[in-house]
Amino acid sequence: MADSWVTVAQAADIAEGGVKAVRVGDHEIALYHLPGGEFRATDNICSHEYAQLSDGWLENGEIECPLHAARFDIRSGKALCAPAEKDLTVFEVKREGDALLVRVPG
Ligand code: FES
């Protein structure tokens, strides 16, 4: 099936520098609002064990896991330090007016 774009939030729902957990079907997604109006999305579940990255700390384009402090680049999904070894899936995000849409596999 084709990928689909799904509206997951309004831009005003996420403060600049903030992150919001959203769910699309089976996908748990973290939606990030970077300074300057850039929006990004990754898996919300840490690739190490089970923690929601939306409970972590967003700084300089990196999210730090609240459980064991692994960090990930939210633009590439890359795991930047131990204990995480596996990268996160990233999702494309687009903005249409105030709506934020995420592209998810069909
Ligand atoms: S669960 Fe995220 S670093 Fe361990």
Side-chain angles (χ1 to χ4, degrees), residues 4-14 20-25 29 31 92-104:
S4 49
W5 287 96
V6 179
T7 300
V8 291
Q10 300 295 307
D13 292 346
I14 316 173
K20 179 181 173 64
V22 298
R23 176 186 277 272
V24 180
I29 296 172
L31 194 56
E92 282 183 70
V93 182
K94 69 179 177 182
R95 182 172 178 171
E96 288 182 353
D98 287 332
L100 297 175
L101 294 85
V102 171
R103 184 178 186 170
V104 291

Side-chain angles (χ1 to χ4, degrees), residues 46 48-51 65 67-70 83:
C46 185
H48 176 233
E49 288 181 4
Y50 189 89
C65 178
L67 199 51
H68 308 112

Side-chain angles (χ1 to χ4, degrees), residues 76-90:
S76 65
K78 197 160 182 43
L80 299 173
C81 68
E85 295 177 351
K86 196 167 163 280
D87 299 343
L88 299 173
T89 299
V90 295

Side-chain angles (χ1 to χ4, degrees), residues 23-99:
R23 176 186 277 272
V24 180
D26 291 338
H27 300 286
E28 295 197 50
I29 296 172
L31 194 56
Y32 308 93
H33 184 175
L34 293 166
E38 180 180 350
F39 290 90
R40 295 280 173 162
T42 69
D43 281 333
N44 194 25
I45 306 305
C46 185
S47 65
H48 176 233
E49 288 181 4
Y50 189 89
Q52 290 198 321
L53 296 172
S54 54
D55 291 333
W57 296 273
L58 177 62
E59 199 174 302
N60 298 328
E62 299 173 5
I63 187 77
E64 181 177 315
C65 178
L67 199 51
H68 308 112
R71 283 182 293 108
F72 300 90
D73 182 315
I74 64 164
R75 295 183 176 92
S76 65
K78 197 160 182 43
L80 299 173
C81 68
E85 295 177 351
K86 196 167 163 280
D87 299 343
L88 299 173
T89 299
V90 295
F91 299 88
E92 282 183 70
V93 182
K94 69 179 177 182
R95 182 172 178 171
E96 288 182 353
D98 287 332

